[in-house]
Amino acid sequence: MDDFNICIMIFRTSPELLLNPVLICRNEAEKCLIETSINSLRISLKVKQADELENILTKKFLRFLSMRAEAFQVLRRKPVQGYDISFLITNYHCEEMQKQKLIDFIVQFMEDIDKEISELKLSVNTRGRLVATEFLKQFI
Amino acid sequence: MILLQSPSRYLLQILSTRVRNLEKGVELDCQWIEFDDVRYHIQASMKNPNLLVLSVSLPTPPPETVFFGGLPPEAIEAIKAAYGTVVHILDPPKDGFNLTVKLNLSKLPPDEEHRQELLGKIASIREVVQGAPLKSVLKQLVSRTVKSELNKLISLVHRPNESFFVVPQADKVTVVFPMRFKDSVDSILATSFLQEFVDARRTAGLGNAPHCLWSPSPPQELKGAPAEALLANAGFVSFVISPRHVEGRKLDRTVWSLSTFHAYVSYHVKCSEGFMHTRMRRRVESLIEALDRAKPDWKKVKKAVQTRSFKRLSINDGRATSNSRN
């Protein structure tokens, strides 16, 4: 980013260049905020966390991803206030990468978050069941 | 390895090697530490290869648990009963240890099977010493005689500064574990595991296992316990042990399983976290591959990887290539 071409989403210097944000809600616990400007786009997600276990698994996984934000290029290190994870796509990203493939990537990312958290939860429950069964079997 | 094994593998290895190479007896001086802060020290000299000096240090008991003479109640009787003349207790123990014993390998039984069994039993010295008071309470369940006061709350140490509780009754013994974890993530994973114990018990085939309960607050058995013992961030687990769980060979196994229950749960919590880390790393790799597919020179990068078989391109290399185009 040079002096004449700053990311409008982050440095909100000219409010007239910001467009109306869109909020998509599945319910109070799951929502997606899309904020647009003329040269950048920020997508923030709030992921469902039904119980304490899902809560820590989500935090663990999203923190793992956010720490690798540089490798992901379009990911932010810190999410927007009130959300669990945020993406920032600038015009430079669109020049470097094919727009359709970039959209595919974001969608795959969002689906993978859900998939990974359910699979992590399943692995904890499966291991818990095995650990309990092996322990109790000793007494029979 | 799902279950924790009673004989200390390292100690068993040292003893077995020593017994096999008695003529070539070398100098030995080893110290090591095992889970829950149990430390061992073993010494042997060339002068008398049959004699070994073994010291064991146990986790520090909390204020509500008492160690008479530096050892759990009835530990000395348990050692004499388990080992006979092979093991001789030295008084006082080595500085910094709760127990020091002299092992006389010349007194081992002559036949291979009994010899190996006794060596295994020596390697399980932790179970014999630390489990002595619990074994004594459970033995009364077998003989249906009760020496200790009924319904009295007994506290036994299992981890540094932490104890679990035993309530002996005429026909059963209730064992209560306050489960504590320093890390909040560990405590949430442990809570999920502990609730599985209650669910698993209800499934078919485990009907004869001890009845078990989990509750976030102290159960009524702990009514007389000191205040610090009543705080546990992963709840309280109770097992009800019946006479059938401690008959014959099951007695020693039950003593070991209960003495190391908290360690068993902690071990599997840590394994679980390690596994999750591996999964997450794999997921990150597949997502980065998906991102790379969005780059127009992805096919070029892929081809380059195939031709230059010894150079592995990184994400940074890919980015540098695309920037240089502008």
Side-chain angles (χ1 to χ4, degrees):
Chain A
M1 298 272 148
D2 46 59
D3 282 340
F4 303 108
N5 220 342
I6 57 173
C7 177
I8 299 294
M9 186 55 45
I10 303 303
F11 304 98
R12 290 161 177 236
T13 49
S14 315
E16 63 275 11
L17 298 175
L18 287 171
L19 306 166
N20 288 329
V22 176
L23 179 63
I24 307 167
C25 287
R26 193 182 263 169
N27 50 59
E28 183 49 54
E30 296 176 74
K31 46 191 182 174
C32 174
L33 177 67
I34 305 175
E35 300 165 277
T36 54
S37 75
I38 61 158
N39 67 357
S40 38
L41 176 72
R42 185 161 62 188
I43 306 173
S44 303
L45 297 174
K46 180 141 182 60
V47 179
K48 150 179 96 96
Q49 288 151 62
D51 54 35
E52 255 195 328
L53 182 60
E54 274 181 30
N55 190 312
I56 54 148
L57 294 176
T58 305
K59 274 206 184 61
K60 220 179 179 22
F61 183 51
L62 294 182
R63 190 165 169 270
F64 195 86
L65 292 171
S66 308
M67 286 182 70
R68 288 155 181 78
E70 211 179 300
F72 283 114
Q73 293 177 261
V74 294
L75 194 62
R76 296 289 286 170
R77 273 191 194 279
K78 287 219 159 74
V80 164
Q81 179 85 289
Y83 292 83
D84 297 316
I85 192 163
S86 295
F87 297 87
L88 179 71
I89 305 168
T90 66
N91 56 318
Y92 286 122
H93 292 138
C94 294
E95 282 166 29
E96 269 181 17
M97 303 189 250
Q98 289 177 30
K99 198 170 64 169
Q100 189 52 49
K101 292 259 162 71
L102 190 54
I103 296 171
D104 287 345
F105 168 73
I106 303 275
V107 170
Q108 183 181 333
F109 203 104
M110 288 161 72
E111 288 173 347
D112 275 8
I113 291 176
D114 275 342
K115 229 190 284 176
E116 189 60 35
I117 292 168
S118 343
E119 284 174 26
L120 286 174
K121 185 172 184 189
L122 185 65
S123 83
V124 171
N125 289 335
T126 306
R127 183 183 290 262
R129 180 57 62 107
L130 178 68
V131 164
T133 307
E134 285 307 304
F135 185 80
L136 292 171
K137 262 187 357 200
Q138 299 178 101
F139 294 89
I140 302 178
Chain B
M1 184 185 79
I2 298 180
L3 296 168
L4 297 176
Q5 305 295 311
S6 171
S8 155
R9 279 165 71 160
Y10 192 53
L11 182 53
L12 185 57
Q13 196 179 316
I14 292 178
L15 294 172
S16 304
T17 311
R18 188 85 184 170
V19 164
R20 271 200 305 273
N21 302 310
L22 222 42
E23 336 75 56
K24 295 182 244 155
V26 294
E27 293 277 327
L28 187 65
D29 196 317
C30 278
Q31 281 204 59
W32 70 98
I33 187 167
E34 290 188 356
F35 67 90
D36 284 339
D37 211 21
V38 169
R39 285 181 294 118
Y40 296 85
H41 180 218
I42 194 161
Q43 271 176 306
S45 75
M46 279 163 65
K47 285 181 288 173
N48 206 333
N50 270 310
L51 296 179
L52 293 159
V53 177
L54 174 68
S55 301
V56 183
S57 161
L58 300 172
T60 321
E64 66 264 16
T65 311
V66 194
F67 267 12
F68 294 104
L71 284 175
E74 300 183 59
I76 296 183
E77 291 89 339
I79 294 169
K80 292 192 180 136
Y83 303 123
T85 52
V86 179
V87 170
H88 177 70
I89 301 175
L90 298 177
D91 189 33
K94 195 171 192 309
D95 208 15
F97 292 87
N98 296 79
L99 172 76
T100 302
V101 295
K102 198 188 299 194
L103 305 174
N104 192 341
L105 299 180
S106 63
K107 298 244 169 84
L108 284 175
D111 64 300
E112 189 59 36
E113 199 191 313
H114 284 121
R115 174 176 285 229
Q116 280 305 114
E117 207 183 308
L118 192 53
L119 286 180
K121 192 86 191 158
I122 297 173
S124 304
I125 192 164
R126 171 193 183 144
E127 178 205 310
V128 170
V129 176
Q130 225 183 332
L134 180 60
K135 183 167 180 175
S136 157
V137 170
L138 293 176
K139 234 196 244 180
Q140 293 166 30
L141 202 55
V142 182
S143 59
R144 309 287 211 271
T145 60
V146 188
K147 273 190 290 167
S148 37
E149 280 173 56
L150 274 180
N151 292 312
K152 179 172 178 239
L153 191 68
I154 303 174
S155 76
L156 302 171
V157 62
H158 61 160
R159 309 171 78 208
N161 275 305
E162 282 184 43
S163 54
F164 64 103
F165 299 90
V166 179
V167 183
Q169 286 166 286
D171 56 345
K172 60 183 179 179
V173 173
T174 306
V175 185
V176 183
F177 294 93
M179 302 298 287
R180 294 183 195 106
F181 292 86
K182 281 208 191 85
D183 187 60
S184 61
V185 171
D186 284 5
S187 85
I188 294 172
L189 286 173
T191 305
S192 151
F193 278 3
L194 295 173
Q195 284 164 337
E196 287 293 337
F197 274 83
V198 181
D199 291 340
R201 166 76 186 23
R202 288 199 214 112
T203 65
L206 287 177
N208 279 333
H211 191 59
C212 66
L213 292 159
W214 178 85
S215 100
S217 55
Q220 47 111 359
E221 281 92 356
L222 291 190
K223 225 187 306 203
E228 315 79 57
L230 298 178
L231 297 165
N233 59 356
F236 297 81
V237 179
S238 312
F239 288 103
V240 181
I241 310 294
S242 311
R244 65 166 177 270
H245 301 130
V246 289
E247 355 185 88
R249 298 199 84 101
K250 284 199 235 172
L251 176 59
D252 283 341
R253 201 163 53 199
T254 298
V255 168
W256 174 250
S257 306
L258 293 173
S259 303
T260 54
F261 175 68
H262 200 300
Y264 177 70
V265 176
S266 304
Y267 162 56
H268 281 286
V269 165
K270 288 302 178 193
C271 286
S272 206
E273 289 181 338
F275 176 68
M276 289 198 280
H277 209 90
T278 306
R279 270 199 69 100
M280 294 194 291
R281 222 184 275 131
R282 239 184 264 148
R283 185 67 77 169
V284 164
E285 276 167 22
S286 93
L287 284 171
I288 291 190
E289 264 173 66
L291 185 63
D292 281 349
R293 283 198 287 273
K295 300 196 179 127
D297 56 2
W298 166 66
K299 289 226 174 69
K300 243 190 255 163
V301 168
K302 223 178 162 224
K303 247 200 201 146
V305 175
Q306 284 163 0
T307 53
R308 284 181 263 171
S309 43
F310 299 112
K311 185 176 180 201
R312 190 161 168 224
L313 290 174
S314 69
I315 307 282
N316 285 327
D317 286 353
R319 241 191 260 149
T321 321
S322 65
N323 281 338
S324 65
R325 280 191 307 115
N326 292 335

